[in-house]
Amino acid sequence: MLQIRKYQHWLQATRGLSFDNYDALWRWSVTDLDAFWQSIWDYFDVQSPTPHTAVLGRRSMPGAEWFPGAQGNYAQQVFRHVAAAEAAGVPALVSHGEASLAAGTPARTLSWAEMQRQAASLALHLQAQGVQPGDRVAAYLPNTPETIVAFLATASIGAVWSVCAPDMGTRAVLDRFTQIQPKVLIACNGVHYGGRDIPRLDVVAELAAALPSVTHVILHEVLPGLPPESANASNLIAACAGFAPATGRNDAQTRAFEPLWLPFDHPLWIVYSSGTTGLPKPIVHGHGGVALVGMALLRLHNDLAPSYADPANPERFHWYSSTGWIMWNVQAAALLNGTTCCIFDGNPAGGTRDQPDWTTLWRFVANTGATFFGAGAAFFANCMKAGIDLAQCGDLSRLRTLGTTGSPLSEDTQRWGTAQFEKLRAPEVASVGEPQFPAGPPQGKLAPSGGSALREAKSVGEPIWWCNISGGTDFAGAFIGGNRELPVVPGEMQCRILGCAVEAWNDKGESVIDEVGELVCTQPLPSMPLYFVGDEGNQRYLASYFDTYPGVWRHGDWLKVTPTGSCIIYGRSDATINRHGLRMGTSELYSAIEALPEVLDSLVVDLEYLGRESYMPLFVVLRPGHELNEAMKAKLNQAVKTALSPRFVPNEIFAVPEIPRTLSGKKQELPIKKLLLGQPLEKVVNRDAMANPACLDWYVAFAQKRQAQDVSAKLA
C-alpha cells in the first residue's frame, strides 16, 4: 500500500476524517494547521519528555511558534530506528566514490548500530573540547558517510551544524563561516573528483587561520597518505585531531550515550543562500520543524518506507548532491524514517570534462540497488543529450522512482526517461538472480548487507514514477511535489505538498488558477527559518521573503496551478522575460532551445530596465562540430517561434564557451543580467560560489563592448 494511502487510512481510523480526493485532503491540511500538524506528530509517533501546550502558540509569519513546551532532537529521531533496522539486517548507509565505483570494489556499508556508535564517540570528543549546545561546528567535507556521522554527532549534543563542499574556494567558505563564528572545524585533506585527486590541506590551513573562533580542528583523511602541500599544511596536521580516532571510541560511555533533549525550536543547522550577490544569507532552521517536515515529505510524498518494513525488498534512497546543496540535507533526512541512504561522492558525469560518462550515476544506482534516484533536472537532460542507453547501465529493476529538482524538468527529458524504462521493462520480466552488470567500466557487486533481498526485482514491470519537486534551501523542504496516486503529466509537478498553503498570485495579490503568477505561501510551516545569523531586527529575513506581501511568503518563482491541481514552475520571477507586455519565465525558452540536438546549454536574459525597450540576447553552447552560422540562428529562432511565440525571438544570438552556473548547477541569469545592465562584476557575482567562474571573462568583455556601443550611440 502506498504511504500516503496508509496515512489517510490512519486519519479515518483515529480521527474519523475521510476525503474524496487529494485536493480535499490538501485543503484540510492548509486550513486546519493545528489538526494537520498534530496528526503528523502522532502518525510518526514523535517523542518528547515534556508535552506541548499548543501546536501553534503564535501564528504570525515570520515568527510562528511551533509546539511550545515540546522537546526533541533530530539525532534521537534517527537513532530510534537502530533496533528494528539491525534486526532486519538493513544498513543505514551504502556508499561509493567515483574511484571505487570505477575500480569495481564493493560499495561501503555502514550499519545503523555502527553509525550510532561513531556519532556517540564523536559527540563525546566534541564535548571534551568544550562544545556546548548552541556552539557552531563547521565542516568542510564531501558527500561521504563520515559527513553524516559528523552531522549526527553535532546535532546530538545541541551544537549547530554547518557544512561547505570541498569544491568551494577559500573565499566562498570564509564568506559563510566567518558569519557564524564556529568553535570547531571538521575538514578533509582532499577529494577525488573528475578522475583526479585534489589536495585541500592548504585551503583547510587558510580556513583555520582565518577563523579565530575555531579552537579545535578535526581532519578526515579522504586521501590517505597525501603529503602536506606546504609548511602551513604540515603545522595543521600536527595540531589537529584525526577523524578516525575521534570516531573510534567503543566503551561503556559511548554505549550509554543519548542525544540531548532540546527545545523544539533549538537551532539544528545553518544553510546558506546561493551567494551570488553580497554575503550569503546564513539561514537557521530548528530541530523539530526540520524533522517533522522531512518525515512528512519523504514518507507521504516521496513514498519512502522504512527499509526494515520489508527486508525482502528494502527501500534505498539516493539523491545525488554535494554537501553544499540543500538536497544533501534532504538525503540525510531519509534516516529520520529509517530509510537506507545510498551516497555517491564524485563527478556525476564520471571520467573527465572532455570525456564525460553520463552512465556513471545509473551504474551506481544499479550497483547499490537503489529504489529511488533523484538528481538535478540538468543531469537527466544531459543524459538524454548524450544518447545513453539505460539497458547498458546494469540491473535497474529495483528502481521505481526518479526525482528531480533544481530547475524545471522539460517535457522532452521526462518523456525520454519514461521511454527508456518502458523499453527496459516491457519486453520481458527479468529473472530473479544476481544482477548482471554491463560491459565497460568494471562494476562492484551489490553490498553484501543487502543479502538475497536485493536479488529480487521489486519494480520489474512497473512504470517508472517521476517525483518532481520544487522547494528550496530557505525552508529545507518542498512546496510542490509528488503523489504516486495522481496522474503523471510530463512537464508538470503533481501537487502542492500537504501543509503548504501555496498559491499563484497575480499583480493584484489575487490567487489565480491556470495563470502564471508569483509563488506564495500564505500559512507558516514548521521548517521556515528561525532567523538569519547576525540579522538585526530580522531586516534581511523580512526583505528576502515578506517585502512584497507583508505576512505572506514570496518565494521568487513563477508558478501556474492548473485546474486539476498540478503545478508548473516557469523559473525565477526575478529573471522574468517581459516582451511587448507578455511576461514569461525562462524555462519555457530553454525547453525550446535545448530540445535541439545541436545545443548543449543556453542562457537568456531580458535587459528591459526602467522603461527601456526590451533587449533579449540568447547565449548558446553548441555541440562540437557545429557553428553559429545564419542557418543555425534561423533554426534557433524558429524553435522559439514554434514552441512559444514570435514575440520571444531573441534580439541577438551569441555562441559562448560555457553558461555560468552556481555550485548547485543553477544558471546565473540574474548576475549576468545585472552585469549587462552596467553593474560591476564584483557587485553581482561571487566567483567562489560558481562551478565555472573562468567563463565570466567572456561575459565581462561582452558587457564592456555593449556599454561602449551605448556610449557611442549617445554621442552620435
Side-chain angles (χ1 to χ4, degrees):
M1 184 183 296
L2 301 181
Q3 298 301 315
I4 198 164
R5 180 55 49 190
K6 288 182 178 180
Y7 169 65
Q8 290 181 74
H9 285 180
W10 178 88
L11 282 176
Q12 187 170 25
T14 63
R15 304 295 203 267
L17 294 172
S18 60
F19 302 93
D20 292 337
N21 50 43
Y22 178 78
D23 185 68
L25 173 64
W26 173 79
R27 291 188 185 281
W28 166 74
S29 77
V30 298
T31 54
D32 195 345
L33 293 184
D34 294 77
F36 170 69
W37 287 109
Q38 183 64 54
S39 80
I40 295 299
W41 180 285
D42 294 339
Y43 185 71
F44 288 96
D45 190 28
V46 177
Q47 302 293 304
S48 171
T50 54
H52 50 273
T53 57
V55 173
L56 259 175
R58 186 170 56 249
R59 192 176 289 267
S60 61
M61 184 167 59
E65 181 187 27
W66 291 92
F67 295 94
Q71 298 180 71
N73 190 299
Y74 186 108
Q76 188 270 347
Q77 174 61 34
V78 169
F79 295 138
R80 287 180 64 189
H81 300 287
V82 170
E86 289 295 298
V90 295
L93 305 174
V94 181
S95 65
H96 257 306
E98 185 184 305
S100 64
L101 181 67
T105 57
R108 291 174 59 197
T109 60
L110 190 67
S111 72
W112 285 83
E114 179 62 10
M115 181 175 70
Q116 183 182 39
R117 184 202 63 74
Q118 290 185 21
S121 175
L122 184 56
L124 292 169
H125 177 89
L126 292 172
Q127 287 181 325
Q129 303 304 314
V131 177
Q132 300 291 322
D135 287 340
R136 275 76 60 206
V137 173
Y140 187 64
L141 294 170
N143 185 22
T144 62
E146 289 80 6
T147 307
I148 288 182
V149 167
F151 160 56
L152 293 173
T154 300
S156 69
I157 61 173
V160 186
W161 170 261
S162 192
V163 62
C164 285
D167 57 357
M168 296 176 68
T170 307
R171 185 70 263 158
V173 177
L174 289 176
D175 282 347
R176 290 155 172 77
F177 288 170
T178 52
Q179 294 186 77
I180 69 171
Q181 299 180 343
K183 189 166 189 173
V184 172
L185 174 64
I186 307 177
C188 62
N189 68 338
V191 291
H192 184 88
Y193 191 93
R196 63 192 183 97
D197 290 342
I198 305 172
R200 302 310 270 169
L201 276 173
D202 271 357
V203 174
V204 176
E206 290 178 42
L207 296 178
L211 294 168
S213 59
V214 170
T215 60
H216 185 62
V217 178
I218 302 172
L219 190 64
H220 171 38
E221 269 198 287
V222 173
L223 302 178
L226 185 72
E229 305 151 71
S230 65
N232 287 340
S234 297
N235 294 336
L236 173 74
I237 293 172
C240 68
F243 188 89
T247 56
R249 185 171 169 181
N250 188 8
D251 55 19
Q253 198 171 357
T254 55
R255 290 188 288 274
F257 178 82
E258 292 287 343
L260 299 178
W261 289 107
L262 304 163
F264 184 86
D265 61 354
H266 185 82
L268 170 65
W269 59 43
I270 301 168
V271 293
Y272 304 90
S273 64
S274 58
T276 52
T277 61
L279 286 177
K281 296 173 294 191
I283 303 169
V284 183
H285 297 129
H287 275 252
V290 165
L292 273 186
V293 168
M295 288 188 291
L297 172 66
L298 294 173
R299 180 79 67 87
L300 305 183
H301 287 279
N302 288 21
D303 198 42
L304 287 167
S307 296
Y308 52 79
D310 184 5
N313 292 293
E315 201 80 75
R316 288 191 169 188
F317 178 57
H318 169 58
W319 199 294
Y320 176 77
S321 178
S322 76
T323 51
W325 190 20
I326 195 62
M327 295 313 298
W328 178 87
N329 306 67
V330 173
Q331 172 188 253
L335 298 170
L336 292 164
N337 283 326
T339 305
T340 298
C341 290
C342 298
I343 300 170
F344 181 81
D345 183 49
N347 186 349
T352 65
R353 179 176 171 182
D354 295 333
Q355 294 182 312
D357 176 9
W358 290 102
T359 70
T360 299
L361 285 185
W362 297 102
R363 292 187 285 103
F364 168 76
V365 167
N367 182 276
T368 56
T371 56
F372 188 118
F373 170 29
F379 168 80
F380 294 101
N382 281 318
C383 290
M384 178 184 71
K385 288 180 178 292
I388 68 170
D389 181 2
L390 296 189
Q392 304 303 312
C393 296
D395 183 359
L396 296 171
S397 60
R398 298 194 74 249
L399 182 62
R400 60 193 184 95
T401 306
L402 297 174
T404 69
T405 192
S407 58
L409 182 72
S410 73
E411 293 183 37
D412 287 347
T413 302
Q414 186 162 339
R415 288 195 178 98
W416 168 83
T418 300
Q420 286 275 319
F421 278 90
E422 287 175 349
K423 185 172 68 172
L424 280 177
R425 294 172 179 179
E428 60 183 358
V429 177
S431 60
V432 174
E434 287 290 344
Q436 298 299 306
F437 295 106
Q443 302 300 300
K445 291 188 177 181
L446 292 171
S449 60
S452 62
L454 291 184
R455 303 189 192 105
E456 186 172 346
K458 180 176 183 177
S459 56
V460 168
E462 292 182 10
I464 200 73
W465 174 49
W466 287 91
C467 182
N468 305 325
I469 68 172
S470 181
T473 299
D474 315 79
F475 63 101
F479 279 141
I480 301 165
N483 178 343
R484 197 180 278 273
E485 294 186 327
L486 297 177
V488 175
V489 179
E492 297 182 7
M493 285 169 269
Q494 290 174 293
C495 63
R496 289 171 280 187
I497 297 292
L498 293 177
C500 298
V502 168
E503 298 176 356
W505 280 17
N506 63 16
D507 291 339
K508 298 177 182 178
E510 301 166 334
S511 179
V512 294
I513 298 293
D514 215 23
E515 295 180 26
V516 178
E518 286 276 3
L519 191 163
V520 300
C521 186
T522 63
Q523 297 288 350
L525 282 170
S527 63
M528 283 179 174
L530 302 176
Y531 53 86
F532 293 175
V533 175
D535 183 20
E536 187 175 348
N538 276 344
Q539 292 181 10
R540 294 184 77 191
Y541 189 1
L542 290 168
S544 297
Y545 313 113
F546 300 104
D547 60 346
T548 303
Y549 310 111
V552 173
W553 178 289
R554 174 185 171 273
H555 196 56
D557 283 338
W558 288 126
L559 165 70
K560 180 165 75 175
V561 181
T562 73
T564 64
S566 63
C567 296
I568 305 170
I569 294 289
Y570 288 90
R572 294 294 295 175
S573 56
D574 52 13
T576 305
I577 295 170
N578 188 348
R579 301 281 276 178
H580 317 292
L582 294 179
R583 68 181 186 180
M584 181 190 70
T586 52
S587 65
E588 288 182 284
L589 194 142
Y590 295 144
S591 295
I593 294 297
E594 294 175 15
L596 299 177
E598 298 90 343
V599 179
L600 286 174
D601 208 355
S602 64
L603 180 102
V604 65
V605 293
D606 182 3
L607 301 186
E608 181 188 39
Y609 184 64
L610 294 178
R612 284 191 220 169
E613 183 179 353
S614 171
Y615 171 77
M616 191 176 80
L618 170 66
F619 305 99
V620 294
V621 180
L622 298 177
R623 282 188 175 279
H626 295 277
E627 62 181 45
L628 189 63
N629 51 29
E630 291 305 313
M632 179 58 68
K633 289 180 181 179
K635 188 172 184 178
L636 291 164
N637 286 333
Q638 187 59 45
V640 175
K641 289 179 185 178
T642 302
L644 303 174
S645 159
R647 294 175 185 245
F648 295 106
V649 170
N651 293 84
E652 294 186 83
I653 305 175
F654 301 93
V656 296
E658 289 184 86
I659 299 301
R661 290 183 178 270
T662 66
L663 290 171
S664 60
K666 293 184 178 179
K667 297 182 183 185
Q668 295 272 44
E669 295 167 323
L670 191 58
I672 296 303
K673 178 177 180 176
K674 290 181 176 179
L675 177 68
L676 298 184
L677 286 171
Q679 295 190 39
L681 180 67
E682 62 271 18
K683 295 287 187 182
V684 301
V685 69
N686 181 347
R687 284 178 174 267
D688 287 337
M690 290 184 58
N692 51 352
C695 78
L696 289 173
D697 294 342
W698 189 96
Y699 295 88
V700 170
F702 177 82
Q704 291 171 344
K705 180 179 178 181
R706 176 172 165 76
Q707 288 156 19
Q709 290 171 343
D710 287 346
V711 171
S712 298
K714 289 177 182 178
L715 292 175

